[in-house]
Amino acid sequence: MKLKSTLMSAAAAAAMLAGSQAAALDEITVAYFQEWPMPFEYAKVMGTYDAEMGVKVNWRAFGSGTEMSAAMASGDVHLSVSQGVPPFVVATSGGQDLQILDVAVSYADNDNCVVAEALEIDKTNAGELAGKKVAVPLGTAAHYGFLKQMSHFGVDVGSMEVVNMNPPEGAAAIAQGAVDMFCGWGGSLRRALEHGNVLLTGDEKTDLGILVFDVTSASAGFVAENSDLVAKFLKVTADANTMWADEGNHAKMLPVIAKDAGMDEQATKETIATFKFPTVDEQLSQAWLGGNAATFMKGVADVFLEAGSIDAALDTYENAVNTGPLAAAGGM
């Protein structure tokens, strides 16, 4: 299995593409995911970001966090909402100067691996996955979770046929019987579950230290040149999260979020119910960006390094976390 060349070549290419960002922008482009419903989408549809930031915000959907990294490196995208920590770690380990700006969402049951039902494999006989074919979006949170779960069950990943597929393609593949296991998130995960079962629940993964959370990220150059703009963006996001925290707003927000996410309202309700959106104060605490996030990223990098997926890990990822704009947002 040749994962290292795939991940590192992508990271290196992204780093080489990185260029200076122009200040005093009239518009920016923000990356996000479809079928990944979050409160910020209400503000997105209502035009709140444009109004509060004073610039036109163009939204562009992506298939994975690794694609977001490349787009930020090329300058095609300025900010990425809900980028997974593992693809962020792959990019920064490969030399791309990205920064984490906030904790977009914490989730454990919405990013997992599904084994085809015909195999009748669960956590009691997971060793039988050796030699099987699995669809995994490389360098993502799903990839990290896959590696950690296989390590937990003592399955040699080198014995498996790992195919790099974004979740929608992976879900279609397991439905067609083309792969034995799917790893992914969101609507794709729900579709995959129609054809199989998970090995571990979200709580079981968390107990094993397999944390799952996404961040808002951007290139360090863009943040340095547009710190006020970034702070305003994070403020609108935080306000949307606060609005969603009041269940009295759900009836108004849910239909808007569902439509923007490309989902029906019931699926949106079920999905977003498993998400947690930490407050600004919580994000700035030691539990998240104040300390643990950098430690967790080092752990992710070491897992990828041991698996041969990256060539090297940074000594520390503390410099990849910039709490300045979020702290400023909290004071607005």
Side-chain angles (χ1 to χ4, degrees):
M1 183 182 61
K2 299 180 179 179
L3 303 182
K4 178 162 60 181
S5 59
T6 301
L7 290 178
M8 293 310 295
S9 61
M16 290 176 64
L17 285 169
S20 61
Q21 302 284 353
L25 298 171
D26 293 324
E27 59 184 70
I28 65 170
T29 300
V30 179
Y32 75 108
F33 290 119
Q34 280 279 284
E35 295 190 319
W36 197 241
M38 296 171 64
F40 84 86
E41 290 180 279
Y42 182 79
K44 168 181 178 290
V45 174
M46 293 296 120
T48 310
Y49 285 98
D50 303 66
E52 294 298 321
M53 297 170 65
V55 299
K56 175 177 171 54
V57 180
N58 301 306
W59 298 86
R60 182 176 162 192
F62 281 79
S64 73
T66 53
E67 293 176 1
M68 288 177 170
S69 294
M72 286 187 287
S74 68
D76 290 340
V77 162
H78 301 95
L79 290 159
S80 290
V81 176
S82 213
Q83 182 181 34
V85 171
F88 178 92
V89 168
V90 169
T92 52
S93 297
Q96 192 172 347
D97 195 9
L98 293 179
Q99 293 181 336
I100 286 176
L101 305 171
D102 77 3
V103 176
V105 58
S106 176
Y107 55 100
D109 283 310
N110 255 300
D111 190 305
N112 215 335
C113 294
V114 177
V115 182
E117 58 188 352
L119 296 178
E120 297 184 345
I121 295 176
D122 58 23
K123 63 183 177 183
T124 65
N125 60 342
E128 295 180 18
L129 286 170
K132 296 297 189 288
K133 186 175 182 179
V134 55
V136 183
L138 300 184
T140 66
H143 181 200
Y144 171 72
F146 162 68
L147 292 175
K148 290 287 284 185
Q149 288 192 61
M150 293 306 97
S151 175
H152 170 69
F153 289 115
V155 177
D156 180 7
V157 174
S159 74
M160 306 177 76
E161 182 181 353
V162 179
V163 183
N164 184 20
M165 287 187 181
N166 280 337
E169 289 75 31
I174 196 171
Q176 296 162 0
V179 298
D180 301 305
M181 184 162 70
F182 154 96
C183 295
W185 56 80
S188 300
L189 173 60
R190 288 195 310 280
R191 289 192 293 275
L193 283 169
E194 296 174 4
H195 306 281
N197 57 274
V198 298
L199 297 172
L200 296 171
T201 66
D203 286 343
E204 288 172 330
K205 289 191 302 174
T206 299
D207 288 343
L208 291 174
I210 305 176
L211 303 179
V212 188
F213 66 97
D214 289 357
V215 302
T216 297
S217 58
S219 69
F222 175 77
V223 178
E225 295 176 7
N226 302 278
S227 58
D228 290 344
L229 195 68
V230 172
K232 291 176 182 177
F233 182 90
L234 300 179
K235 170 64 173 173
V236 174
T237 299
D239 287 347
N241 288 342
T242 298
M243 186 177 178
W244 178 258
D246 181 351
E247 292 188 6
N249 292 320
H250 286 193
K252 174 172 60 177
M253 297 177 73
L254 187 63
V256 176
I257 294 171
K259 183 177 181 180
D260 192 66
M263 302 166 65
D264 63 56
E265 290 186 30
Q266 185 59 34
T268 299
K269 183 178 180 179
E270 293 173 357
T271 298
I272 203 169
T274 65
F275 288 171
K276 296 181 180 179
F277 304 99
T279 66
V280 170
D281 287 344
E282 289 171 339
Q283 292 177 56
L284 293 172
S285 73
Q286 178 68 26
W288 289 104
L289 303 184
N292 283 354
T295 301
F296 178 70
M297 283 192 285
K298 176 60 174 172
V300 171
D302 288 344
V303 167
F304 279 153
L305 184 62
E306 184 177 354
S309 301
I310 58 176
D311 285 324
L314 302 180
D315 292 333
T316 177
Y317 288 81
E318 292 179 0
N319 293 332
V321 179
N322 183 354
T323 58
L326 184 61
M332 288 180 175

